[in-house]
C-alpha cells in the first residue's frame, strides 16, 4: 500500500512537471506577469554582478534572493541569447515547483494527515492552473511559495511535541528566508506564534522569553538584512507594493470589494487575462463546474476534519493551517488598500495549509462517501 501511495505521488508530480514544461516552452516570451522585469533583474546580476536601480527596474524594490539564485543557476547559459536564457530560467522555475510540491507533501505528513491525505493535497495543488502557469514563468513568487511552504513544514513539525532549541532555530531561519525572499510572506511570523503556543509543552516565562530572543535574532539575520538596507535607500517604499506608484487603486469597502473577490478567486482555477490569447479555447463553464464540484467535496471533508473528534493533534493542526491561510488573505487585503492586486498567485504562499486541509478533507470526503456506498449496497462485490 505504501509503494502504491508513493507511485501515485510520483505520478502526480510528473504530470505537473510535464504540463509546466509544456507551458514554459509554448507561452510566448514576456507574456506572464512582470516576466521581463524579473528576467532583467536576474540578467543584470548574471552579466554584471550588480543590482538594478529603481530607475532601471521597478522590481528593484524586491529582495535579490530569488534573482541571485536564478543568476547563479544560469551561469552555464550566460553567453546565450535572451530567448534561450529565458527558457532555461523558466525550466529552473519548474524545478522550484516540483520541490514545492514535495515540501507540501512533507508538511502534510508532519501535521499528521497521513500519506493518502498528503498525496491528495499535492494533487489539489498540481490541479490549479494558475499555480502551474506561475511555476512555468520567471517570477519571484515561485521562490516565495517554496520558502513559505518550507516554513510551514517546519511549523507542522512542532505538532509532534513542541519545539526544542534546534527546531526553533530551523523555524526562525526558514521564516526569515521566506520573508527575505518576498515581504508578502510576513504572515509566517504570526503563524509561527500560533503553532508555538499551541504545541509547546513548557510555557514558563523564562523559556518563552529565551525562545523569543532566539527567534527574533535568527529571523533578523536571515530575513531582515535586505529590508534594513533597502529602507536606508528607498525609505517606506520597500515595505509596500512596487506597483503602487504605477497604478494606484484604493480598495474602499464595500465599493470594489466584490470585484476583488471575483478576480481573486476566479484566477485560482482559470488562466489570467494575459494568457487568454495564448491558450487554446476550452469550455470555461464546464471547467468551472468541474472544479466547483471538486471544491465542494473537499470543503465538506475539510469541515469534517475541523470538527472531528478523531486525532486531536490533526484537528488542531487543521485549525492552525486554516488560520495561516486567513492571515495570508488578511495581508493581501492590507496591500489592496493601497493598490488593487487581484491575482490569486499572491495567496499561494499562504495556501499550503488550505491545500493540506482540502486534500485531507477531500480524502476524508471520498472515504465517507465510499463507506456510505458500501453501507447501502447489498451486492456481494460491495460486501467483499
Amino acid at each position: 500500500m505504501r509503494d502504491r501511495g508513493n507511485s501515485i505521488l510520483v505520478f502526480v508530480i510528473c504530470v505537473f512537471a510535464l504540463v509546466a514544461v509544456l507551458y514554459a516552452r509554448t507561452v510566448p516570451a514576456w507574456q506572464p506577469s512582470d516576466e521581463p522585469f524579473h528576467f532583467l533583474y536576474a540578467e543584470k546580476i548574471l552579466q554584471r554582478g550588480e543590482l538594478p536601480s529603481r530607475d532601471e527596474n521597478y522590481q528593484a524594490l524586491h529582495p535579490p534572493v530569488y534573482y541571485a539564485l536564478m543568476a547563479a543557476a544560469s551561469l552555464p547559459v550566460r553567453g546565450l541569447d535572451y530567448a534561450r536564457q529565458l527558457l532555461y530560467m523558466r525550466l529552473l522555475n519548474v524545478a522550484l515547483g516540483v520541490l514545492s510540491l514535495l515540501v507540501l507533501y512533507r508538511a502534510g505528513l508532519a501535521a499528521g494527515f497521513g500519506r493518502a491525505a498528503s498525496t491528495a493535497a499535492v494533487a489539489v495543488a498540481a490541479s490549479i492552473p494558475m499555480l502551474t502557469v506561475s511555476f512555468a514563468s520567471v517570477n519571484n513568487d515561485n521562490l516565495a511559495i517554496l520558502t513559505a511552504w518550507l516554513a510551514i513544514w517546519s511549523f507542522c513539525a512542532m505538532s509532534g511535541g513542541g519545539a526544542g532549541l534546534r527546531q526553533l532555530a530551523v523555524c526562525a531561519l526558514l521564516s526569515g528566508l521566506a520573508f527575505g525572499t518576498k515581504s508578502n510572506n510576513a504572515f509566517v511570523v504570526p503563524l509561527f506564534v500560533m503553532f508555538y503556543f499551541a504545541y509547546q509543552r513548557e510555557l514558563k516565562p523564562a523559556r518563552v522569553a529565551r525562545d523569543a530572543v532566539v527567534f527574533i535574532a535568527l529571523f533578523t539575520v536571515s530575513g531582515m538584512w535586505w529590508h534594513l538596507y533597502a529602507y536606508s535607500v528607498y525609505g517606506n517604499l520597500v515595505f509596500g507594493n512596487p506597483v503602487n506608484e504605477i497604478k494606484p487603486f484604493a480598495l474602499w469597502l464595500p465599493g470594489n470589494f466584490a470585484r476583488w473577490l471575483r478576480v481573486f478567486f476566479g484566477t485560482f482555477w482559470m488562466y489570467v487575462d494575459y494568457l487568454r490569447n495564448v491558450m487554446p479555447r476550452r469550455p470555461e463553464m464546464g471547467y468551472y463546474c468541474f472544479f466547483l464540484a471538486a471544491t465542494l467535496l473537499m470543503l465538506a471533508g475539510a469541515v469534517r476534519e475541523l470538527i472531528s473528534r478523531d486525532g486531536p493533534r490533526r484537528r488542531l493542526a487543521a485549525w492552525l493551517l486554516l488560520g495561516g491561510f486567513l492571515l495570508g488573505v488578511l495581508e493581501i487585503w492590507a496591500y489592496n488598500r493601497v493598490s488593487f492586486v487581484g491575482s490569486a498567485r499572491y495567496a499561494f504562499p499562504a495556501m499550503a495549509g488550505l491545500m493540506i486541509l482540502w486534500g485531507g478533507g477531500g480524502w476524508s470526503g471520498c472515504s465517507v462517501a465510499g463507506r456510505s456506498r458500501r453501507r447501502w449496497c447489498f451486492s456481494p462485490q460491495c460486501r467483499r
Side-chain angles (χ1 to χ4, degrees):
M1 186 70 179
R2 178 177 177 179
D3 293 338
R4 181 183 177 185
N6 291 340
S7 299
I8 295 174
L9 176 67
V10 171
F11 174 76
V12 170
I13 292 178
C14 287
V15 171
F16 168 85
L18 176 61
V19 174
V21 169
L22 290 175
Y23 284 157
R25 292 185 61 87
T26 57
V27 174
W30 324 127
Q31 290 296 311
S33 180
D34 296 328
E35 188 173 58
F37 304 100
H38 293 298
F39 174 82
L40 291 175
Y41 192 149
E43 178 69 13
K44 185 163 186 179
I45 298 177
L46 176 63
Q47 300 297 340
R48 300 183 183 180
E50 301 174 357
L51 298 178
S53 67
R54 188 164 147 266
D55 295 331
E56 296 176 280
N57 191 332
Y58 80 94
Q59 295 289 344
L61 291 173
H62 283 308
V65 178
Y66 168 78
Y67 308 100
L69 175 64
M70 288 294 104
S74 299
L75 284 173
V77 296
R78 183 177 180 180
L80 300 181
D81 56 73
Y82 274 8
R84 294 182 181 180
Q85 286 186 24
L86 176 63
L87 176 58
Y88 184 82
M89 287 190 187
R90 284 183 173 183
L91 295 178
L92 290 177
N93 281 268
V94 173
L96 293 180
V98 171
L99 290 175
S100 298
L101 294 182
L102 291 173
V103 168
L104 181 65
Y105 175 76
R106 298 300 300 180
L109 292 181
F113 278 82
R115 293 181 180 275
S118 300
T119 301
V122 172
V124 169
S127 69
I128 300 178
M130 191 64 248
L131 185 66
T132 309
V133 169
S134 177
F135 278 118
S137 65
V138 179
N139 196 302
N140 66 342
D141 287 324
N142 300 329
L143 188 60
I145 293 170
L146 174 59
T147 54
W149 290 7
L150 280 168
I152 292 173
W153 176 18
S154 69
F155 302 162
C156 291
M158 289 193 293
S159 66
L165 195 59
R166 179 181 298 178
Q167 181 64 28
L168 181 73
V170 171
C171 292
L173 290 172
L174 290 177
S175 298
L177 178 61
F179 181 70
T181 300
K182 196 168 185 179
S183 57
N184 293 37
N185 285 341
F187 75 93
V188 299
V189 177
L191 181 58
F192 165 77
V193 174
M194 291 166 55
F195 268 89
Y196 178 85
F197 283 101
Y199 288 112
Q200 193 69 342
R201 294 176 178 175
E202 185 179 352
L203 291 175
K204 296 180 180 179
R207 171 70 179 272
V208 173
R210 185 205 70 177
D211 291 349
V213 170
V214 171
F215 183 89
I216 293 172
L218 294 178
F219 179 87
T220 301
V221 170
S222 61
M224 290 296 295
W225 59 274
W226 164 257
H227 294 84
L228 295 174
Y229 163 76
Y231 180 78
S232 67
V233 177
Y234 300 118
N236 291 331
L237 290 175
V238 72
F239 295 106
N241 190 324
V243 184
N244 292 353
E245 296 182 40
I246 300 175
K247 52 173 187 177
F249 194 122
L251 180 66
W252 299 111
L253 300 177
N256 51 13
F257 184 65
R259 175 192 171 194
W260 178 76
L261 285 177
R262 184 176 65 254
V263 175
F264 182 80
F265 287 102
T267 55
F268 268 179
W269 301 120
M270 303 300 295
Y271 306 105
V272 291
D273 290 338
Y274 56 77
L275 290 179
R276 289 190 180 276
N277 295 326
V278 176
M279 297 301 169
R281 295 177 178 271
R282 61 198 177 282
E284 295 188 358
M285 287 306 298
Y287 198 67
Y288 267 128
C289 291
F290 170 78
F291 279 108
L292 177 61
T295 300
L296 290 176
L297 173 65
M298 289 185 290
L299 289 179
V303 171
R304 181 177 179 273
E305 290 290 339
L306 294 172
I307 65 176
S308 173
R309 295 184 180 180
D310 300 331
R313 170 193 168 194
R314 176 168 168 170
R315 184 175 68 253
L316 179 58
W319 279 103
L320 292 171
L321 291 170
L322 178 61
F325 171 71
L326 296 178
L327 284 171
V329 172
L330 180 63
E331 184 180 13
I332 294 172
W333 175 82
Y335 275 111
N336 274 266
R337 295 194 66 182
V338 181
S339 178
F340 184 85
V341 178
S343 179
R345 61 191 172 89
Y346 294 104
F348 285 138
M351 277 195 67
L354 190 61
M355 290 172 182
I356 293 172
L357 195 57
W358 273 355
W363 182 258
S364 298
C366 291
S367 299
V368 170
R371 287 196 295 269
S372 299
R373 178 180 177 274
R374 290 174 64 89
R375 183 183 304 169
W376 297 104
C377 181
F378 298 100
S379 67
Q381 291 79 6
C382 293
R383 294 300 180 185
R384 290 177 183 175

